[in-house]
Amino acid sequence: MENKNKIFSIVLVLAMVIGTVALSGCTQETKNKIIVGTSADFPPFEYKATNQTIIGFDIDLIKKILTDQGYTVEVQDIGFDSLIPSLQTGKIDVIAAAMTIDDERMLQVDFSNPYYDSNQTVLVKVGAGVNITTIEDLKNYTVGAQTGTTGWDWVNDTLVATGKLNSDNFRSYDLYTDAVADLIIGPSRVGAVVIDSPVAQAFAKSGDVRIVLNITTNESYGFAVEKGNTELLTKINTGLSAVKATTYWEDLIEQYFAT
Ligand code: GLN
């Protein structure tokens, strides 16, 4: 009996030693690994290739910046509205999601230097008889946008809060790809989608949808890190300037934005 106990103790101690070694191995690895969170519904910045891998301008850019500095990068697809909470709870280290730098978000996260400029646009289905030439015309349709975005804020603040659009006619989507899919089904689902201009242009390439209005909002995208993570932020900013000074930057623009 005593012997059995001894053997049991030895096995237990061995298991603990092995466990500790294995765990420290993990922490060692995670220190060099950066988890990038995105919302892969926003071409050409982040979207799924036919084989389901996440690609896009933001993804290539942040991967280039971080791998050049010795990190390995893992990309996780998270709903846009959950990106900031995921950063705050340490589930991800960086947000790369065409996220507009704005005052409200700056209270919650730290942004890199801006890397791309954008405005908002109104997207409609081609041939659906949707007649929108001014902002006021939007009242005649159901208007869609992705929850948590600056496009959603614009519809809410400029149309719904001012009484120009009945709140019943404002449809919120978790994913912009779903909003555009509904747009293509037809105005019975959604008549117009308010969305960032470069992304509207990407969706319009299919020929199913087109831009009927431009809304000047003067937005700039930045990568976001947890508040106070200056070490990572400095690395991202340094890497961003370095990449911009090379032909990699022009090639990336050409690859994702050439018409
Ligand atoms: N630029 C917009 C924002 O920051 C939309 C981003 C997105 O949907 N990925 O709210």
Side-chain angles (χ1 to χ4, degrees):
M1 191 65 189
E2 208 176 285
N3 258 348
K4 262 195 184 164
N5 267 343
K6 254 188 193 160
I7 292 170
F8 180 73
S9 304
I10 291 168
V11 169
L12 193 68
V13 168
L14 267 178
M16 282 165 75
V17 168
I18 292 167
T20 314
V21 169
L23 271 181
S24 63
C26 279
T27 18
Q28 204 60 33
E29 191 196 338
T30 44
K31 269 191 189 156
N32 285 318
K33 186 168 146 192
I34 298 287
I35 302 180
V36 171
T38 194
S39 178
D41 60 338
F42 216 55
F45 296 98
E46 40 270 333
Y47 57 103
K48 286 188 183 143
T50 28
N51 67 3
Q52 295 302 303
T53 50
I54 301 168
I55 57 168
F57 182 85
D58 289 348
I59 306 302
D60 287 5
L61 179 57
I62 195 69
K63 273 189 178 167
K64 170 81 178 146
I65 290 171
L66 293 171
T67 54
D68 276 359
Q69 306 200 35
Y71 291 107
T72 57
V73 177
E74 181 190 319
V75 179
Q76 281 186 14
D77 190 17
I78 296 167
F80 188 80
D81 209 23
S82 302
L83 286 169
I84 289 182
S86 298
L87 192 65
Q88 289 175 319
T89 52
K91 286 192 189 122
I92 57 173
D93 304 299
V94 179
I95 297 173
M99 186 173 271
T100 300
I101 302 168
D102 71 16
D103 292 346
E104 202 184 317
R105 289 172 181 159
M106 274 165 72
L107 298 172
Q108 303 171 283
V109 300
D110 284 345
F111 279 104
S112 72
N113 293 329
Y115 63 85
Y116 205 88
D117 295 335
S118 164
N119 287 294
Q120 295 295 315
T121 54
V122 176
L123 205 56
V124 305
K125 181 183 181 178
V126 171
V130 173
N131 187 13
I132 297 173
T133 52
T134 67
I135 285 167
E136 275 63 38
D137 294 334
L138 285 163
K139 69 175 183 300
N140 303 320
Y141 300 95
T142 303
V143 180
Q146 183 182 41
T147 307
T149 62
T150 47
W152 192 98
D153 285 345
W154 183 85
V155 177
N156 194 51
D157 299 350
T158 315
L159 302 179
V160 179
T162 58
K164 283 183 185 151
L165 182 76
N166 189 313
S167 60
D168 292 345
N169 291 339
F170 182 19
R171 186 160 292 181
S172 304
Y173 290 89
D174 285 340
L175 298 174
Y176 260 127
T177 37
D178 289 343
V180 174
D182 259 10
L183 194 62
I184 292 170
I185 291 171
S188 62
R189 294 291 268 274
V190 72
V193 167
V194 175
I195 186 168
D196 295 33
S197 45
V199 181
Q201 281 160 18
F203 280 121
K205 279 185 186 168
S206 70
D208 296 326
V209 293
R210 69 188 177 98
I211 297 168
V212 288
L213 273 186
N214 291 306
I215 304 157
T216 307
T217 49
N218 294 320
E219 299 175 48
S220 294
Y221 302 156
F223 298 114
V225 299
E226 198 178 1
K227 264 216 148 308
N229 191 353
T230 39
E231 192 191 331
L232 186 56
L233 193 63
T234 307
K235 286 188 172 167
I236 292 174
N237 280 333
T238 309
L240 179 61
S241 325
V243 168
K244 275 188 167 176
T246 66
T247 51
Y248 183 90
W249 178 256
E250 284 146 41
D251 292 347
L252 201 61
I253 303 251
E254 172 72 21
Q255 181 185 346
Y256 286 109
F257 297 100
T259 41

